[in-house]
């Protein structure tokens, strides 16, 4: 999994980072922003794998509509993704609270974004993301540190 590698890379860069999981016993999706907000972090990032038709490819970022600081964070991460994986840049897209990921994006107080690393439904995307997992974790950690300056 990529998230623990990003947390480790941030620790190696002298940064505090936490991994919060969703699922049974964690309060579900609606509890996540409150759990994050209670820690008062400088940013919150969800790492996802996109899904679509087998030929769909690329990386993208999702942010709350109008979220200037969230967009700046997502754009740094998007640059790290596309440079490291050499996948198409699907851009950073604003989301209303009613759309996929919107609850997290709109209810987390710190800059927040969702990073769609690659398409799980595309074998070539997944092969690239898997082969470059360590390099990608380091690039994402560097982008996070840079965005928090």
């Amino acid at each position: 999994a990529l998230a623990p590698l990003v947390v480790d890379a941030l620790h190696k860069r002298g940064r505090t980072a936490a991994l919060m999981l969703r699922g049974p016993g964690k309060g579900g999706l609606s509890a996540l922003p409150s759990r994050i907000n209670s820690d008062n972090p400088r940013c919150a990032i969800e790492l996802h794998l996109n899904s679509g038709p087998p030929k769909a490819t690329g990386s993208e970022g999702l942010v709350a509509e109008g979220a200037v600081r969230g967009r700046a964070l997502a754009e740094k991460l998007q640059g790290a993704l596309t440079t490291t994986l050499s996948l198409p840049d699907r851009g950073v897209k604003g989301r209303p609270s009613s759309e996929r990921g919107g609850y997290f994006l709109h209810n987390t107080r710190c800059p927040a974004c969702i990073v769609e690393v690659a398409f799980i439904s595309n074998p070539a995307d997944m092969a690239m993301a898997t082969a470059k997992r360590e390099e990608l974790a380091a690039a994402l950690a560097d982008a996070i540190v840079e965005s928090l300056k």
Side-chain angles (χ1 to χ4, degrees), residues 58-135:
S59 302
E60 67 186 18
L62 305 175
V63 298
E65 285 179 324
V68 175
R69 294 183 315 146
R71 179 169 290 277
L73 172 64
E75 287 173 352
K76 287 270 188 206
L77 295 169
Q78 185 66 14
L81 281 169
T82 56
T83 299
T84 304
L85 297 180
S86 300
L87 294 175
D89 184 348
R90 296 173 57 92
V92 174
K93 301 168 182 171
R95 287 284 187 253
S97 60
S98 61
E99 284 191 22
R100 170 178 68 99
Y103 189 84
F104 162 75
L105 295 169
H106 284 268
N107 290 285
T108 304
R109 289 191 300 256
C110 61
C113 65
I114 296 173
V115 176
E116 298 281 3
V117 174
F119 276 83
I120 196 169
S121 52
N122 181 317
D125 270 25
M126 287 308 298
M128 182 65 73
T130 300
K132 294 194 171 188
R133 188 173 57 222
E134 297 276 346
E135 184 181 344

Side-chain angles (χ1 to χ4, degrees), residues 7-22:
V7 169
D8 288 345
L10 285 165
H11 290 162
K12 288 176 184 171
R13 287 156 178 76
R15 302 298 176 148
T16 301
L19 180 61
M20 288 192 172
L21 302 174
R22 300 189 292 194

